[in-house]
Amino acid sequence: MWNAQLYGAYKKERSQPSADLVNRIKDNDFKRILDVGCGSGMSTAALAAAFKNSEIIGADLSENMLEAAKKTLPEIDFVQRDCSKPLFDMGKFDLIFSNAFMQWLTNQEEFINNSFEMLNENGVFAAQLPLSYLMPTSKCINEAKTVLPERLRNAEVRKTVAFSANDYYDILSKLSDDVNIWVTDYYHVMDSHENILNFIRGTALNPYTEKLDEIECERFLNKVLDNIKNAYAVQKNGKVLFPFKRLFIVAKK
């Protein structure tokens, strides 16, 4: 279960990628915008600030996240939907925006195809995905699975999946002659290794911790933290740099 408060603890770090993606498309005139997997509304806020005259709809499955979004942006229309399934009934859009959502989908090509079907002519599909599998935290989590209870050690949990830029280009080039893909490394300055742990508790660790009782969870998190301490060096001033790699896509129909 998603926790908006835990997710929002690092609002500055989490909101910057969506702001950067919006900045790449801000010169367009979008009449109708869909923010798919809008979560607590961080990405929606960036869209609302850039496109003040547009109709913006945010869609997400998590009731907890949507409650936070509605409190922050009461003027925006937020709807509870399973965004992994077709949303054709919502009509056509000039921009379909997806910030840190697609990586949770197992049917990403289908999602992209459906999104393009929902776009008006000359509409834009814009997405950002964290490339978690390329980051040391992914290994930190995998190596900590040894302390999980037997029932969960080999159990299926929701995992993030991100393809390479080449793979996304092959998917998108079937739909668009105007595809832009880039990768950005964000270096988050953390006060401690514990901050890195708390950051990923709101996302990558959630599929594990939601299945554990209090004692099991503490043991698992302690092991992840030990691994993080080995993976990330402490800087001379005592801070810890937490590089976070993200892939961006902008494609025009």
Side-chain angles (χ1 to χ4, degrees):
M1 180 179 294
W2 287 100
N3 185 312
Q5 184 175 2
L6 184 61
Y7 184 82
Y10 295 92
K11 182 177 180 180
K12 177 183 176 182
E13 291 82 359
R14 295 197 194 281
S15 62
Q16 189 60 53
S18 56
D20 291 342
L21 183 55
V22 167
N23 192 54
R24 288 290 289 260
I25 56 175
K26 66 181 181 180
D27 292 334
N28 291 272
D29 182 20
F30 301 121
K31 292 181 174 59
R32 200 160 186 259
I33 298 171
L34 176 61
D35 187 6
V36 184
C38 64
S40 60
M42 290 184 191
S43 54
T44 321
L47 289 166
F51 306 108
K52 299 183 186 300
N53 298 319
S54 302
E55 176 192 358
I56 301 174
I57 300 173
D60 200 276
L61 182 60
S62 170
E63 184 176 352
N64 182 267
M65 287 290 206
L66 287 173
E67 286 177 0
K70 291 174 182 177
K71 288 180 181 177
T72 305
L73 299 164
E75 72 281 8
I76 300 294
D77 184 16
F78 290 100
V79 295
Q80 187 173 21
R81 294 292 299 266
D82 183 349
C83 297
S84 67
K85 298 178 180 179
L87 303 171
F88 299 134
D89 59 293
M90 297 184 71
K92 294 283 189 175
F93 294 87
D94 301 298
L95 168 65
I96 293 182
F97 194 89
S98 172
N99 182 68
F101 166 70
M102 277 209 306
Q103 74 276 8
W104 295 106
L105 301 178
T106 56
N107 59 334
Q108 291 184 36
E109 184 168 5
E110 180 184 346
F111 171 78
I112 292 171
N113 288 333
N114 290 345
S115 295
F116 267 80
E117 191 170 337
M118 293 172 63
L119 285 174
N120 289 315
E121 196 63 31
N122 296 316
V124 172
F125 175 79
Q128 179 270 127
L129 301 91
L131 299 179
S132 302
Y133 72 99
L134 295 176
M135 295 161 50
T137 46
S138 179
K139 185 178 180 181
C140 292
I141 295 170
N142 286 330
E143 291 182 350
K145 290 179 183 178
T146 56
V147 303
L148 287 172
E150 191 65 35
R151 73 180 191 281
L152 293 176
R153 204 164 295 169
N154 297 312
E156 285 294 320
V157 298
R158 291 181 295 119
K159 295 180 180 178
T160 60
V161 178
F163 305 131
S164 69
N166 302 66
D167 292 327
Y168 285 115
Y169 179 80
D170 283 340
I171 294 170
L172 290 158
S173 60
K174 299 173 187 176
L175 305 165
S176 171
D177 293 326
D178 187 354
V179 180
N180 291 280
I181 301 175
W182 69 96
V183 173
T184 299
D185 287 315
Y186 292 86
Y187 279 79
H188 302 314
V189 180
M190 298 296 193
D191 290 330
S192 66
H193 291 104
E194 285 79 5
N195 287 150
I196 296 178
L197 178 69
N198 289 334
F199 188 101
I200 63 174
R201 279 194 70 178
T203 51
L205 286 175
N206 188 54
Y208 298 96
T209 57
E210 67 183 3
K211 297 178 182 293
L212 301 171
D213 64 32
E214 187 175 346
I215 295 176
E216 293 168 341
C217 187
E218 182 179 5
R219 186 183 181 197
F220 176 60
L221 292 178
N222 284 339
K223 181 60 177 175
V224 175
L225 179 59
D226 287 341
N227 294 342
I228 288 173
K229 288 178 178 178
N230 290 327
Y232 293 90
V234 178
Q235 300 299 125
K236 291 181 178 179
N237 66 351
K239 303 288 186 179
V240 181
L241 285 181
F242 179 35
F244 207 108
K245 190 178 294 290
R246 297 179 183 271
L247 182 144
F248 295 82
I249 297 166
V250 174
K252 191 172 185 179
K253 183 172 180 178

Short mmCIF file of all heavy atoms in Angstrom, two decimals, residues 194-215:
data_model
loop_
_atom_site.label_atom_id
_atom_site.label_comp_id
_atom_site.label_asym_id
_atom_site.label_seq_id
_atom_site.Cartn_x
_atom_site.Cartn_y
_atom_site.Cartn_z
N GLU A 194 20.95 6.54 6.35
CA GLU A 194 19.56 6.32 6.75
C GLU A 194 18.59 7.08 5.85
O GLU A 194 17.48 6.62 5.58
CB GLU A 194 19.35 6.73 8.21
CG GLU A 194 19.91 5.75 9.24
CD GLU A 194 21.42 5.85 9.43
OE1 GLU A 194 22.03 6.77 8.83
OE2 GLU A 194 21.99 5.02 10.15
N ASN A 195 19.02 8.24 5.37
CA ASN A 195 18.18 9.02 4.46
C ASN A 195 17.95 8.30 3.14
O ASN A 195 16.87 8.37 2.55
CB ASN A 195 18.78 10.40 4.20
CG ASN A 195 18.66 11.32 5.39
OD1 ASN A 195 19.49 12.20 5.60
ND2 ASN A 195 17.63 11.15 6.20
N ILE A 196 18.99 7.61 2.66
CA ILE A 196 18.84 6.82 1.43
C ILE A 196 17.84 5.70 1.65
O ILE A 196 16.96 5.44 0.82
CB ILE A 196 20.19 6.25 0.97
CG1 ILE A 196 21.15 7.39 0.60
CG2 ILE A 196 20.01 5.31 -0.22
CD1 ILE A 196 22.54 6.92 0.19
N LEU A 197 17.96 5.04 2.80
CA LEU A 197 17.01 3.98 3.14
C LEU A 197 15.58 4.51 3.18
O LEU A 197 14.65 3.91 2.61
CB LEU A 197 17.36 3.36 4.49
CG LEU A 197 16.41 2.26 4.99
CD1 LEU A 197 16.53 1.02 4.13
CD2 LEU A 197 16.70 1.93 6.46
N ASN A 198 15.40 5.64 3.82
CA ASN A 198 14.06 6.22 3.93
C ASN A 198 13.52 6.64 2.56
O ASN A 198 12.32 6.55 2.31
CB ASN A 198 14.08 7.42 4.88
CG ASN A 198 14.26 7.01 6.32
OD1 ASN A 198 13.90 5.90 6.71
ND2 ASN A 198 14.83 7.88 7.13
N PHE A 199 14.42 7.09 1.69
CA PHE A 199 14.01 7.48 0.34
C PHE A 199 13.43 6.29 -0.41
O PHE A 199 12.33 6.38 -1.00
CB PHE A 199 15.21 8.05 -0.42
CG PHE A 199 14.88 8.66 -1.75
CD1 PHE A 199 14.77 10.03 -1.90
CD2 PHE A 199 14.67 7.87 -2.88
CE1 PHE A 199 14.46 10.60 -3.12
CE2 PHE A 199 14.35 8.42 -4.11
CZ PHE A 199 14.25 9.80 -4.23
N ILE A 200 14.12 5.16 -0.40
CA ILE A 200 13.65 4.00 -1.16
C ILE A 200 12.54 3.24 -0.42
O ILE A 200 11.87 2.40 -1.04
CB ILE A 200 14.81 3.05 -1.53
CG1 ILE A 200 15.47 2.46 -0.29
CG2 ILE A 200 15.83 3.78 -2.40
CD1 ILE A 200 16.54 1.41 -0.63
N ARG A 201 12.34 3.54 0.85
CA ARG A 201 11.20 2.92 1.56
C ARG A 201 9.87 3.35 0.94
O ARG A 201 8.90 2.61 0.96
CB ARG A 201 11.20 3.29 3.04
CG ARG A 201 12.15 2.48 3.89
CD ARG A 201 11.87 2.65 5.37
NE ARG A 201 10.60 2.02 5.75
CZ ARG A 201 10.12 1.98 6.99
NH1 ARG A 201 10.80 2.55 7.97
NH2 ARG A 201 8.99 1.38 7.26
N GLY A 202 9.86 4.57 0.38
CA GLY A 202 8.63 5.07 -0.22
C GLY A 202 8.33 4.49 -1.58
O GLY A 202 7.25 4.71 -2.13
N THR A 203 9.30 3.73 -2.15
CA THR A 203 9.10 3.19 -3.50
C THR A 203 9.59 1.74 -3.59
O THR A 203 8.81 0.81 -3.45
CB THR A 203 9.85 4.06 -4.53
OG1 THR A 203 11.21 4.25 -4.11
CG2 THR A 203 9.19 5.42 -4.67
N ALA A 204 10.87 1.55 -3.85
CA ALA A 204 11.41 0.23 -4.16
C ALA A 204 11.23 -0.79 -3.04
O ALA A 204 11.07 -2.00 -3.30
CB ALA A 204 12.88 0.35 -4.53
N LEU A 205 11.27 -0.35 -1.79
CA LEU A 205 11.15 -1.28 -0.66
C LEU A 205 9.70 -1.58 -0.30
O LEU A 205 9.42 -2.56 0.40
CB LEU A 205 11.88 -0.72 0.57
CG LEU A 205 13.40 -0.77 0.52
CD1 LEU A 205 13.99 -0.08 1.75
CD2 LEU A 205 13.89 -2.21 0.45
N ASN A 206 8.81 -0.75 -0.77
CA ASN A 206 7.40 -0.89 -0.40
C ASN A 206 6.81 -2.27 -0.70
O ASN A 206 6.09 -2.83 0.14
CB ASN A 206 6.57 0.21 -1.07
CG ASN A 206 5.14 0.26 -0.58
OD1 ASN A 206 4.90 0.36 0.61
ND2 ASN A 206 4.20 0.16 -1.50
N PRO A 207 7.09 -2.88 -1.87
CA PRO A 207 6.53 -4.20 -2.15
C PRO A 207 6.96 -5.28 -1.15
O PRO A 207 6.28 -6.29 -1.00
CB PRO A 207 7.05 -4.52 -3.56
CG PRO A 207 7.31 -3.18 -4.17
CD PRO A 207 7.81 -2.33 -3.03
N TYR A 208 8.11 -5.07 -0.49
CA TYR A 208 8.57 -6.02 0.50
C TYR A 208 8.02 -5.71 1.89
O TYR A 208 7.46 -6.58 2.57
CB TYR A 208 10.11 -6.03 0.56
CG TYR A 208 10.77 -6.44 -0.74
CD1 TYR A 208 11.20 -5.48 -1.65
CD2 TYR A 208 10.95 -7.77 -1.05
CE1 TYR A 208 11.80 -5.85 -2.85
CE2 TYR A 208 11.55 -8.16 -2.25
CZ TYR A 208 11.97 -7.19 -3.14
OH TYR A 208 12.55 -7.55 -4.33
N THR A 209 8.17 -4.47 2.30
CA THR A 209 7.79 -4.11 3.67
C THR A 209 6.29 -4.26 3.92
O THR A 209 5.87 -4.53 5.04
CB THR A 209 8.22 -2.66 3.99
OG1 THR A 209 7.63 -1.76 3.03
CG2 THR A 209 9.73 -2.52 3.93
N GLU A 210 5.48 -4.12 2.87
CA GLU A 210 4.02 -4.24 3.06
C GLU A 210 3.61 -5.68 3.38
O GLU A 210 2.50 -5.92 3.85
CB GLU A 210 3.27 -3.74 1.83
CG GLU A 210 3.47 -4.58 0.58
CD GLU A 210 2.75 -4.01 -0.65
OE1 GLU A 210 2.16 -2.92 -0.53
OE2 GLU A 210 2.80 -4.66 -1.71
N LYS A 211 4.52 -6.64 3.16
CA LYS A 211 4.22 -8.05 3.41
C LYS A 211 4.82 -8.57 4.72
O LYS A 211 4.64 -9.72 5.07
CB LYS A 211 4.74 -8.91 2.25
CG LYS A 211 4.10 -8.62 0.90
CD LYS A 211 4.71 -9.47 -0.18
CE LYS A 211 4.11 -9.17 -1.55
NZ LYS A 211 2.70 -9.57 -1.63
N LEU A 212 5.56 -7.70 5.42
CA LEU A 212 6.29 -8.12 6.62
C LEU A 212 5.64 -7.60 7.89
O LEU A 212 5.05 -6.52 7.90
CB LEU A 212 7.73 -7.61 6.55
CG LEU A 212 8.57 -8.08 5.35
CD1 LEU A 212 9.90 -7.32 5.32
CD2 LEU A 212 8.82 -9.57 5.42
N ASP A 213 5.78 -8.40 8.98
CA ASP A 213 5.34 -7.88 10.27
C ASP A 213 6.43 -6.97 10.82
O ASP A 213 7.49 -6.79 10.19
CB ASP A 213 4.99 -9.01 11.24
CG ASP A 213 6.18 -9.89 11.61
OD1 ASP A 213 7.33 -9.40 11.67
OD2 ASP A 213 5.97 -11.10 11.85
N GLU A 214 6.20 -6.38 11.96
CA GLU A 214 7.10 -5.35 12.49
C GLU A 214 8.52 -5.86 12.71
O GLU A 214 9.50 -5.20 12.35
CB GLU A 214 6.53 -4.80 13.81
CG GLU A 214 7.31 -3.61 14.35
CD GLU A 214 6.67 -2.99 15.59
OE1 GLU A 214 5.49 -3.31 15.86
OE2 GLU A 214 7.34 -2.20 16.27
N ILE A 215 8.65 -7.05 13.29
CA ILE A 215 9.97 -7.61 13.58
C ILE A 215 10.69 -7.98 12.29
O ILE A 215 11.88 -7.69 12.11
CB ILE A 215 9.85 -8.83 14.51
CG1 ILE A 215 9.30 -8.40 15.88
CG2 ILE A 215 11.21 -9.52 14.68
CD1 ILE A 215 9.05 -9.54 16.83
#
